[in-house]
């Protein structure tokens, strides 16, 4: 088989390791003194790291304009931040937080030079076409989940009956610097760690079996999957302060962002996009609660249609890399072990049912009809999609 053609995009600079947050003021100095600094609602701003950073930024004559992002970012929030700070000659945008904070920072950096609402440029809402001009952006994740520090899109939500969850996207929106410090994830409560971990695991698996995968993304996904599940289990069930396990998750999350940005995702994220537009919820919990059922449906469909489909071997690889199956297991057995373990983790990590995420039975048909299956190796029927939702309601 001929070696495939592919392209690959990644952040201009990536820094990884516990304690690397201390490098942020020095990294910021070359961009200019006026810095928009986005964080979540409470945890980071109340930490010693914030006090230390603030002093270091002050010592370097930087002017910080702090912004709070309390939940998944909306177009209104982005528009408001841009409107309030457009005339301040902002030189740099920094976002320190979970995926919602990083997406907000990414969108704000993209819109600082624009007069229009960000909705004008959202895919499926406006034109979806942005010229890519932005303010420099540094992304610092404090959770191990979305991989937004490595992606070129910012996801914005407007939940409601006619709501949406859509992306602002351009190759230039990949962060100029991704600073990944696993120590920043140590304070994460179990619920957040579980949801983010299941989101990253979903992204690694969906990108690995994607029809748009390449040798580069395959290699990355294998690297990210190795030990990811056991590390998540160790943190949630044994020692939440295990920095080695936290580092495995932070690395896997970053890799999942790189992989999804270049290979795309599958129906779990297709579901999550539609569900996120209906009701406020935690994206990672939606992905986590649907991963096992969706993986089972895809593998079952592939086995019926083509038992030699290469995606089945990839699912088996994912099981072996995650310590779920032995390398000597047959593809069929490894796939079966993967499905079983994903169901166990779904329950063990307390992934909520969809009804707990604000979804009602009467919503299911509409969700199934609107769900895009993206780059799945097996197209599921609407009946299959509906069955997945019903099992997780």
């Amino acid at each position: 088989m001929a070696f495939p053609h592919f392209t690959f995009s990644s952040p201009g600079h990536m820094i990884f390791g516990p304690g690397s947050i201390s490098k942020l003021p020095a990294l910021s100095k070359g961009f200019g003194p006026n810095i928009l600094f986005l964080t979540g609602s409470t945890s980071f701003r109340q930490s010693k790291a914030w006090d230390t950073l603030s002093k270091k930024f002050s010592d370097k004559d930087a002017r910080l304009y702090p912004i709070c992002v309390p939940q998944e970012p909306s177009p209104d929030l982005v528009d408001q931040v841009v409107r309030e700070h457009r005339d301040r000659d902002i030189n740099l945008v920094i976002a320190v937080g979970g995926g919602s904070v990083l997406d907000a920072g990414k969108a704000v950096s993209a819109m600082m030079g624009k007069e229009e609402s960000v909705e004008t440029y959202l895919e499926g809402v406006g034109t979806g076409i942005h010229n890519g001009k932005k303010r420099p952006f540094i992304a610092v994740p404090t959770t191990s989940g979305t991989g937004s520090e490595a992606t070129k899109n910012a996801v914005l939500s407007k939940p409601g009956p006619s709501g949406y969850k859509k992306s602002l996207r351009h190759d230039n929106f990949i962060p100029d610097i991704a600073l990944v410090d696993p120590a920043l994830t140590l304070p994460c409560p179990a619920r957040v760690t579980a949801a983010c971990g299941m989101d990253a695991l979903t992204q690694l698996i969906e990108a690995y079996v994607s029809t748009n995968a390449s040798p580069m993304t395959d290699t990355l996904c294998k690297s990210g999957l190795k030990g990811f599940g056991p590390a998540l289990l160790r943190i949630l069930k044994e020692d939440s302060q295990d920095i080695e396990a936290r580092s495995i998750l932070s690395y896997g999350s970053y890799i999942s962002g790189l992989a999804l940005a270049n290979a795309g995702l599958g129906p779990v994220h297709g579901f999550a996009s539609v569900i996120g537009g209906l009701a406020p919820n935690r994206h990672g919990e939606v992905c986590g609660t649907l991963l096992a059922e969706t993986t089972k449906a895809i593998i079952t469909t592939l086995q019926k249609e083509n038992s030699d489909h290469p995606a089945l071997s990839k699912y088996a690889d994912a099981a072996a890399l995650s310590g779920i199956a032995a390398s000597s297991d047959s593809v069929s057995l490894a796939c079966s072990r993967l499905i079983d373990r994903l169901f166990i983790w779904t329950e063990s990590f307390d992934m909520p049912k969809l009804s707990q995420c604000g979804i009602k039975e009467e919503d299911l048909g509409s969700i199934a009809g609107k769900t895009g299956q993206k780059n799945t190796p097996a197209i599921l029927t609407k009946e299959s999609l509906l069955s997945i939702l019903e099992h997780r309601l």
Side-chain angles (χ1 to χ4, degrees):
M1 185 176 76
F3 205 79
H5 292 256
F6 65 92
T7 61
F8 190 84
S9 301
S10 64
H13 191 48
M14 188 270 205
I15 298 168
F16 184 95
S20 55
I21 185 67
S22 64
K23 300 177 182 179
L24 186 58
L27 290 169
S28 306
K29 187 171 177 56
F31 293 100
N34 298 324
I35 301 171
L36 267 185
F37 203 107
L38 288 79
T39 64
S41 56
T42 54
S43 55
F44 182 74
R45 291 283 294 277
Q46 294 175 355
S47 69
K48 291 181 180 179
W50 169 253
D51 293 336
T52 302
L53 280 179
S54 297
K55 185 179 186 307
K56 286 186 177 181
F57 275 113
S58 179
D59 291 343
K60 293 183 179 297
D61 298 321
R63 288 185 290 275
L64 298 186
Y65 298 96
I67 303 294
C68 173
V69 182
Q71 56 193 7
E72 288 196 354
S74 67
D76 290 342
L77 181 142
V78 173
D79 289 346
Q80 179 182 345
V81 172
V82 171
R83 189 166 52 247
E84 292 178 355
H85 298 278
R86 182 183 285 118
D87 297 329
R88 285 195 165 129
D89 189 27
I90 297 300
N91 307 114
L92 173 67
V93 178
I94 297 175
V96 181
S100 294
V101 178
L102 302 193
D103 278 358
K106 200 179 296 182
V108 167
S109 77
M111 294 304 298
M112 285 303 297
K114 300 292 186 183
E115 297 288 338
E116 306 89 350
S117 168
V118 68
E119 285 190 312
T120 305
Y121 302 101
L122 290 181
E123 297 172 345
V125 178
T127 64
I129 300 173
H130 191 290
N131 61 13
K133 292 182 179 179
K134 67 176 180 68
R135 295 292 189 274
F137 176 53
I138 298 178
V140 186
T142 59
T143 62
S144 301
T146 67
S148 183
E149 67 273 15
T151 66
K152 56 190 172 186
N153 66 304
V155 181
L156 305 181
S157 303
K158 183 179 279 189
S162 58
Y164 60 78
K165 188 169 187 173
K166 299 292 184 180
S167 284
L168 176 70
R169 190 188 311 268
H170 194 284
D171 285 350
N172 292 348
F173 297 164
I174 297 173
D176 298 272
I177 299 174
L179 193 159
V180 183
D181 183 344
L184 295 179
T185 70
L186 289 172
C188 281
R191 181 182 178 186
V192 174
T193 298
C196 291
M198 290 294 277
D199 186 18
L201 181 61
T202 301
Q203 290 169 177
L204 287 167
I205 292 174
E206 288 198 318
Y208 187 39
V209 301
S210 166
T211 55
N212 199 38
S214 72
M216 182 81 93
T217 57
D218 282 353
T219 300
L220 287 169
C221 287
K222 289 179 181 179
S223 174
L225 282 164
K226 189 174 182 180
F228 190 93
L232 181 57
L233 193 64
R234 205 153 76 231
I235 290 167
L236 293 175
K237 302 300 181 182
E238 297 175 16
D239 182 7
S240 66
Q241 301 301 296
D242 186 330
I243 192 63
E244 181 183 358
R246 290 282 184 181
S247 295
I248 291 172
L249 295 194
S250 290
Y251 174 76
S253 175
Y254 175 78
I255 292 300
S256 78
L258 276 182
L260 78 85
N262 290 280
L265 294 168
V268 175
H269 279 81
F271 279 131
S273 179
V274 179
I275 291 170
L278 284 175
N281 53 65
R282 295 174 186 263
H283 169 80
E285 289 182 340
V286 174
C287 291
T289 200
L290 293 171
L291 176 58
E293 286 285 356
T294 306
T295 302
K296 177 183 177 181
I298 293 172
I299 288 175
T300 300
T301 300
L302 289 172
Q303 289 173 332
K304 289 179 180 177
E305 294 179 350
N306 178 6
S307 60
D308 294 323
H309 196 289
L312 291 171
S313 294
K314 285 191 168 185
Y315 280 117
D317 286 344
L321 290 163
S322 301
I324 296 169
S327 57
S328 59
D329 287 344
S330 67
V331 169
S332 178
L333 178 58
C335 286
S336 178
R337 291 188 192 280
L338 175 64
I339 293 168
D340 289 345
R341 186 63 60 84
L342 290 178
F343 275 109
I344 290 171
W345 283 347
T346 300
E347 298 306 315
S348 178
F349 300 159
D350 296 321
M351 291 296 102
K353 292 295 185 75
L354 291 176
S355 57
Q356 297 172 267
C357 299
I359 300 304
K360 301 179 177 64
E361 186 174 1
E362 56 264 32
D363 296 325
L364 301 188
S366 176
I367 294 171
K370 294 178 181 177
T371 292
Q373 300 196 46
K374 301 177 181 282
N375 299 294
T376 179
I379 300 298
L380 302 177
T381 64
K382 184 177 179 180
E383 289 72 24
S384 292
L385 297 174
L386 189 57
S387 177
I388 291 168
L389 296 171
E390 288 171 343
H391 278 99
R392 293 309 300 166
L393 186 61

